[in-house]
């Protein structure tokens, strides 16, 4: 999801949910041949008793979503000598994974993630993809709203707003202030949920009116089960490092001042304030641009059916492709598919790693895009006669089913025809899995019913339905114990001798689109370090 309302620096990413029909065949390992710089080596070989094609390469990236594509580009731009020969394989017939942008009759809407934080790693990926001139940024001064007691109330965007915003009572603000300073119960000495951490540090009102809806907007999750350490690690570290949230903030500021300043890439744009970004023709432009640059290294409709370890130290991956069975022999492999897919593929290699990955939970979420005429917006929701803002979040206690709404046509230009507004609504999540039994029409009705309670005039005309995308397995939940699960999976692979086999994607890096890109650079560095050791051992 992309309900970037309370902290525009955090967005989430709806992951691919389609689970391929996996057939885990074990083939005899083939002798690894040297790769040719600049592209994979192709030959023919007997595979599994039949004819087929063999490709030899330095690195195989399994999954052509945003994580896999960005890892490939990060290797090409930051570590060109690490894996000069690589391929990205995708089971679907298109790249981008959960990024789905649609355009029709003057509307342009997203059916997966909606935007990203324009961090420097994200902007580097944008520039390296040739999309600098296509970048669009939201207005950093645009308000964000939370529904409380039947009214959409603005969220404070700066410190000077804190005394005046009406989302919290005076008592709630005082409790939050004292808690942030460290006047609150001590940490319990165990991993806390988001709810436990926030109630202890900042009080009940901050949790119920700000953080609970924020968790719904980012993770579509249950804050009583989400891990504070895993889901919101930066805030968690403030208390760990400074004894309190305020103490940790001052310490972090001081450390930044004392640290040597790295020179910023002069090619990068300079966003003004805290905002979110997209592209002129939607988020799909990024995976399409990266794929175009990678060219023939991207293999579509390639379904991975088995992976084995080669005696020579690399891996043999068997694919079902439009041209028949293909065997790929590679020195390294990066798995960026969802954890439940990776679990099935890795089970023949490591039962322990597969069992760990199978424990991660992905709840269902639906993205419902609708349009209303401008005159349908309630007068009290207009600013200077227009619907302005990022959007709104809905706490679960407020009697609405929709998790939140993005004001798409207000956030970015050219998203709707003149006289129309475009709203992207998210519904479902960990606390509402019943959406899977609803039809598209019922989901639109539920969204429309909710919007008429606070944003749309009750007697307005029916909405224009543009798109309804139901993701049965949407966002990986970073629950209490999430890092332990990841550590078990990674250590099990290492202990079993599967060096050069990496786990990547949003369940590793984080659910925000920006975190997936940052994680891609981190994974590319890991691959580079491994390939450097691999080359040394081969000498």
């Amino acid at each position: 999801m992309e309900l970037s309302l309370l902290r525009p620096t955090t967005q989430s990413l709806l992951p691919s949910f389609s689970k391929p029909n996996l057939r885990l065949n074990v083939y005899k390992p083939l002798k690894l041949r040297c790769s040719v710089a600049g592209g994979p080596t192709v030959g023919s070989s007997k595979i599994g008793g039949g004819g087929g094609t063999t490709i030899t390469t330095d690195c195989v990236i399994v999954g052509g979503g945003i994580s896999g594509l960005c890892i490939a580009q990060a290797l090409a731009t930051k570590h060109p000598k690490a894996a000069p020969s690589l391929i990205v394989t995708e089971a679907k017939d298109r790249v981008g994974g959960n990024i789905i942008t649609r355009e029709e009759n003057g509307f342009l809407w997203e059916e997966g993630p909606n935007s990203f934080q324009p961090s420097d790693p994200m902007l580097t990926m944008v520039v390296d993809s040739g999309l600098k001139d296509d970048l669009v940024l939201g207005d950093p001064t645009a308000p964000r709203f939370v529904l409380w007691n039947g009214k959409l109330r603005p969220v404070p965007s700066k410190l000077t707003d804190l005394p005046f915003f009406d989302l919290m009572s005076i008592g709630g603000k005082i409790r939050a202030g004292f808690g942030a300073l460290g006047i609150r119960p001590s940490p319990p000495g165990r991993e806390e949920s988001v709810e436990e951490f926030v109630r202890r540090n900042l009080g009940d009102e901050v949790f119920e009116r700000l953080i609970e809806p924020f968790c719904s907007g980012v993770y579509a999750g249950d804050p009583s089960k989400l891990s504070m350490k895993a889901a919101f690690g930066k805030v968690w570290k403030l208390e760990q490092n400074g004894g309190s949230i305020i103490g940790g903030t001052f310490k972090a500021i001081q450390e930044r001042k004392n640290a040597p300043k790295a020179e910023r890439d002069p090619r990068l744009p300079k966003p003004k304030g805290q905002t979110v970004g997209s592209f002129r023709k939607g988020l799909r432009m990024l995976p399409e641009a990266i794929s175009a640059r990678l060219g023939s290294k991207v293999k579509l409709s390639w379904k991975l059916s088995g992976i084995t370890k080669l005696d020579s130290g690399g891996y043999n991956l068997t694919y079902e492709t439009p041209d028949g069975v293909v065997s790929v022999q590679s020195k390294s492999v990066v798995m960026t598919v969802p954890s439940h897919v990776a679990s099935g593929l890795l089970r023949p290699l490591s039962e322990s790693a597969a069992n760990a990955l199978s424990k991660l939970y992905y709840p269902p979420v639906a993205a419902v895009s609708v349009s209303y005429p401008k005159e349908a917006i309630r007068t009290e929701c207009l600013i200077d006669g227009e619907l302005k803002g990022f959007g709104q979040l809905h706490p679960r206690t407020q009697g609405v089913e929709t998790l939140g709404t993005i004001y798409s046509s207000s956030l970015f230009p050219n998203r709707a025809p003149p006289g129309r507004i475009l709203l992207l609504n998210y519904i479902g999540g960990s606390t509402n899995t019943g959406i899977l039994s609803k039809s598209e029409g019922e989901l639109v009705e539920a969204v429309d019913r909710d919007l008429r309670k606070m944003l749309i005039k009750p007697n307005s005309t029916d909405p224009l339905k543009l798109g309804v995308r139901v993701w049965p397995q949407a966002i990986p939940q970073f629950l209490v114990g999430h890092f332990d699960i990841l550590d078990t999976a990674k250590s099990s692979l290492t202990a079993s001798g599967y060096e050069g086999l990496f786990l990547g994607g949003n369940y590793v890096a984080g659910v925000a689109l920006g975190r997936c890109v940052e994680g891609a650079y981190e994974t590319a560095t890991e691959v580079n370090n491994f390939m450097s050791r691999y080359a040394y051992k081969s000498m």
Side-chain angles (χ1 to χ4, degrees), residues 228-512:
M228 188 68 194
K229 178 181 178 181
F232 302 105
K234 289 183 178 179
V235 178
W236 177 83
K237 287 179 182 177
L238 293 177
E239 184 186 34
Q240 295 294 308
N241 296 338
S244 68
I245 292 176
I246 294 295
T249 300
F250 283 131
K251 186 174 181 180
I253 292 172
Q254 191 62 41
E255 288 175 350
R256 281 198 298 269
K257 285 177 63 177
N258 296 335
K261 289 181 172 58
E263 185 177 348
R264 189 172 188 266
D265 188 339
R267 302 176 304 154
L268 304 186
K270 295 181 180 179
K272 297 179 180 179
Q274 296 286 313
T275 187
V276 294
S278 182
F279 301 102
R280 181 176 50 83
K281 287 294 184 179
L283 292 180
R284 69 184 178 196
M285 293 188 74
L286 181 59
E288 289 176 356
I290 296 174
S291 178
R293 286 176 175 260
L294 293 172
S296 61
K297 293 180 179 180
V298 177
K299 309 296 183 182
L300 300 179
S301 300
W302 277 39
K303 298 180 180 180
L304 180 60
S305 57
I307 177 171
T308 58
K309 184 74 180 289
L310 293 165
D311 291 338
S312 55
Y315 295 89
N316 185 81
L317 297 87
T318 304
Y319 286 92
E320 297 173 8
T321 81
D323 298 319
V325 175
V326 173
S327 176
V328 180
Q329 297 181 352
S330 181
K331 299 171 186 175
S332 60
V333 178
V334 184
M335 305 286 289
T336 69
V337 293
S339 62
H340 48 87
V341 178
S343 173
L345 289 167
L346 296 176
R347 190 165 297 280
L349 302 182
S350 171
E351 190 82 14
S352 177
N355 288 340
L357 292 175
S358 69
K359 294 178 181 179
L360 300 182
Y361 173 55
Y362 294 65
V365 174
V368 180
S369 294
V370 294
S371 173
Y372 294 88
K374 281 189 175 181
E375 56 268 22
I377 303 297
R378 294 189 181 200
T379 304
E380 64 268 24
C381 297
L382 299 175
I383 300 175
D384 298 327
E386 300 287 339
L387 178 66
K388 295 182 179 180
F390 280 78
Q392 59 193 55
L393 289 171
H394 310 144
R396 301 297 81 209
T397 58
Q398 298 305 293
V400 295
E401 190 175 1
T402 309
L403 297 170
T405 300
I406 297 289
Y407 303 164
S408 299
S409 53
S410 301
L411 187 56
F412 299 123
N414 303 317
R415 269 14 186 199
R420 306 289 303 191
I421 62 164
L422 174 62
L423 303 175
L424 170 56
N425 309 270
Y426 293 104
I427 186 170
S430 296
T431 60
N432 184 17
T433 58
I435 65 161
L436 291 175
S437 63
K438 293 188 176 183
S439 67
E440 286 191 6
E442 288 172 329
L443 291 172
V444 172
E445 288 177 6
V447 166
D448 180 55
R449 184 169 56 248
D450 287 344
L451 291 175
R452 290 175 191 271
K453 294 177 181 179
M454 84 296 281
L455 182 67
I456 301 298
K457 295 175 182 177
N459 60 349
S460 179
T461 58
D462 291 341
L464 173 64
K465 181 187 80 170
L466 295 171
V468 177
R469 175 76 59 170
V470 178
W471 302 88
Q473 291 175 284
I475 303 169
Q477 299 296 286
F478 283 41
L479 305 180
V480 171
H482 181 81
F483 284 152
D484 294 333
I485 291 174
L486 281 183
D487 288 344
T488 297
K490 291 179 178 180
S491 62
S492 295
L493 291 172
T494 301
S496 300
Y498 297 113
E499 286 189 298
L501 178 55
F502 302 93
L503 301 178
N506 59 359
Y507 71 91
V508 177
V511 300

Side-chain angles (χ1 to χ4, degrees), residues 130-145:
L131 295 177
K132 182 177 180 179
D133 293 338
D134 293 292
L135 179 68
V136 292
L137 298 173
D139 179 2
T141 65
R144 303 158 176 83
F145 301 94

